[in-house]
Amino acid sequence: MKSKENNRGFGILFFIVFLLIALWPLLKNESPRIYFFPFAVLFLILGLINSKILTPLNKLWIKFGELLGKIIAPIVMALVYFIVLTPLSFIVKISRKDLLKVKFSNKLKSYWIKRIKDLGPMNKQF
């Protein structure tokens, strides 16, 4: 993405963020936070004129996002592993299911799985 477009989106995003912060108390019938309005207007103006002033702030914001990604992603993946996959594995082991059909059996002549459905011609695969 070009730096101009990136700065424009960054400026508009932070205009919306500061505007929401300023107007949030209105939901609780309180007075708005007036001191956030100048920041919102400043980011809107800088974003609309594609100011290069936003470039360092934008790079800092991107670095912050990358840092959060490095911290949050492993935590989420660990939670998925330990909360979903580990109990599921225990359930499958307790029920002695062979979902992948990898157990050896003397009763079978062959491990070949016959296809029931005919796939038809393979000349137009993609």
Side-chain angles (χ1 to χ4, degrees):
M1 185 180 268
K2 295 179 182 176
S3 179
K4 274 186 165 184
E5 295 170 4
N6 206 357
N7 283 343
R8 173 175 283 168
F10 176 75
I12 292 172
L13 171 74
F14 269 84
F15 160 71
I16 293 170
V17 167
F18 282 121
L19 188 64
L20 288 175
I21 291 172
L23 297 177
W24 189 262
L26 291 177
L27 294 175
K28 299 176 184 176
N29 293 327
E30 297 174 5
S31 62
R33 297 178 182 134
I34 305 288
Y35 43 90
F36 280 103
F37 283 117
F39 291 111
V41 172
L42 178 68
F43 273 99
L44 178 65
I45 292 169
L46 291 176
L48 291 178
I49 64 172
N50 286 324
S51 176
K52 296 209 184 254
I53 296 173
L54 293 178
T55 302
L57 294 173
N58 193 2
K59 288 183 180 179
L60 187 66
W61 182 250
I62 290 172
K63 293 290 184 190
F64 178 66
E66 290 173 353
L67 176 68
L68 279 180
K70 287 181 181 178
I71 295 170
I72 299 297
I75 293 171
V76 169
M77 293 305 291
L79 287 174
V80 167
Y81 182 79
F82 288 114
I83 293 175
V84 176
L85 296 177
T86 303
L88 187 63
S89 172
F90 286 137
I91 291 169
V92 169
K93 285 182 182 183
I94 290 171
S95 65
R96 297 181 186 216
K97 295 279 184 184
D98 186 18
L99 299 175
L100 297 177
K101 310 267 192 257
V102 293
K103 290 185 180 174
F104 180 74
S105 175
N106 290 330
K107 299 175 185 176
L108 296 174
K109 293 180 184 177
S110 172
Y111 287 97
W112 187 265
I113 300 172
K114 293 190 178 185
R115 187 179 303 270
I116 298 170
K117 182 180 176 185
D118 184 25
L119 294 179
M122 299 293 283
N123 52 359
K124 290 188 179 181
Q125 296 181 27
F126 304 102

